[in-house]
Amino acid sequence: MSVKAKIGPSILNADLANLGAESKKLLDNGADYLHLDVMDGNFVPNLTFGHPMVKSLRNKIKTAFFETHMMVQNPEQWISPMADAGVNLYTFHIEPVDDVYKVSRLVQEAGMQVGLAIKPGTKVADLEKYISIADVVLVMTVEPGFGGQSFMADMMPKVEWLRQNYPNLDIEVDGGVGPKTIECCAKSGANMIVSGTAVVGATDQRQVIKDMRDVVQSYLK
Ligand code: DX5
Ligand code: ZN
């Protein structure tokens, strides 16, 4: 199998006034990428930050891989400013989008990788026709909108199905993932792991990141 275990901390529940330092600390402690949760108060009932903040972060952190998780009603609107802000992977929800092919093509033309996300209520079958254009598929394991929610184990059949049918696909899980739930995700075949509260709040971030990556990698072999 060619996919690798990667841990991408979500900085949603970090100290956002110290985003640069918090992000650097996570990367120094072994994070493989940063998962940046962008919310518009419309697609989800919460508001976070947009491209100006991502751009400021990129000015401080030149080389790390940035994913933006676009929990927004109109992802097409933010493609160009996010590309300009130095985003590597632009993950958007398929639910509010009429033409997923078109938005994906625009993301690629802007020089970013394409991530396609589904909420807990969205069937994996609704995503299937787009998999060939996706670099990453994100299966949400909480309702998007807030950090610190409980992991939904009943989302694992989606991950299992994807892994069985697409052995080389990057499959990401997001929401309530930490040392207690990592085994479940790993066993199901997820290889890109978003973890917010469990990593950011850990006394030993390095250990938590390493332990989770080891568990995931052990199931990929
Ligand atoms: C939820 C976000 C997640 C989440 C992760 O809408 O997309 O990235 O905040 O945080 P934890 O791991 O605390 O659920
Ligand atoms: Zn997220």
Side-chain angles (χ1 to χ4, degrees):
M1 203 174 280
S2 65
V3 295
K4 278 202 173 74
K6 291 176 194 161
I7 309 295
S10 155
I11 47 80
L12 185 57
N13 282 8
D15 178 359
L16 293 181
N18 276 318
L19 189 56
E22 294 260 6
S23 301
K24 272 190 187 148
K25 185 177 164 199
L26 289 161
L27 292 161
D28 287 347
N29 282 329
D32 296 289
Y33 64 103
L34 289 182
H35 177 92
L36 305 169
D37 287 304
V38 176
M39 304 186 191
D40 67 350
N42 187 10
F43 179 67
V44 289
N46 197 5
L47 195 61
T48 54
F49 50 81
H51 52 91
M53 201 154 121
V54 177
K55 193 168 183 167
S56 298
L57 191 62
R58 177 53 91 198
N59 283 335
K60 287 209 158 60
I61 298 176
K62 303 287 183 202
T63 55
F65 190 92
F66 283 7
E67 173 186 33
T68 45
H69 177 192
M70 304 302 295
M71 288 164 275
V72 301
Q73 196 62 29
N74 183 13
E76 188 177 334
Q77 189 175 354
W78 311 112
I79 293 172
S80 168
M82 284 300 186
D84 177 61
V87 169
N88 303 98
L89 168 62
Y90 190 87
T91 298
F92 64 94
H93 279 264
I94 65 166
E95 292 90 355
V97 175
D98 288 332
D99 192 341
V100 172
Y101 292 114
K102 180 187 163 204
V103 175
S104 301
R105 186 171 40 78
L106 292 172
V107 170
Q108 282 165 347
E109 284 172 3
M112 299 181 288
Q113 294 180 18
V114 174
L116 298 179
I118 52 171
K119 296 204 276 188
T122 304
K123 294 186 190 68
V124 78
D126 296 343
L127 181 84
E128 193 183 0
K129 57 178 173 292
Y130 307 121
I131 288 176
S132 61
I133 50 167
D135 295 289
V136 175
V137 165
L138 166 55
V139 175
M140 289 303 296
T141 46
V142 296
E143 277 305 332
F146 300 90
Q149 303 182 77
S150 298
F151 177 75
M152 297 167 74
D154 54 340
M155 294 299 120
M156 291 304 101
K158 295 186 193 180
V159 176
E160 284 159 19
W161 184 89
L162 285 165
R163 182 54 73 217
Q164 265 159 26
N165 291 281
Y166 300 90
N168 296 317
L169 181 65
D170 276 316
I171 304 171
E172 185 176 47
V173 286
D174 178 16
V177 182
K180 294 195 182 84
T181 49
I182 192 67
E183 180 105 25
C184 185
C185 299
K187 211 184 286 179
S188 303
N191 69 297
M192 287 177 68
I193 308 297
V194 178
S195 183
T197 324
V199 168
V200 169
T203 39
D204 192 344
Q205 286 186 354
R206 176 177 293 277
Q207 194 66 44
V208 173
I209 290 171
K210 182 188 182 301
D211 288 349
M212 290 204 291
R213 190 171 38 232
D214 287 349
V215 173
V216 173
Q217 196 60 49
S218 73
Y219 281 96
L220 292 172
K221 277 170 191 159

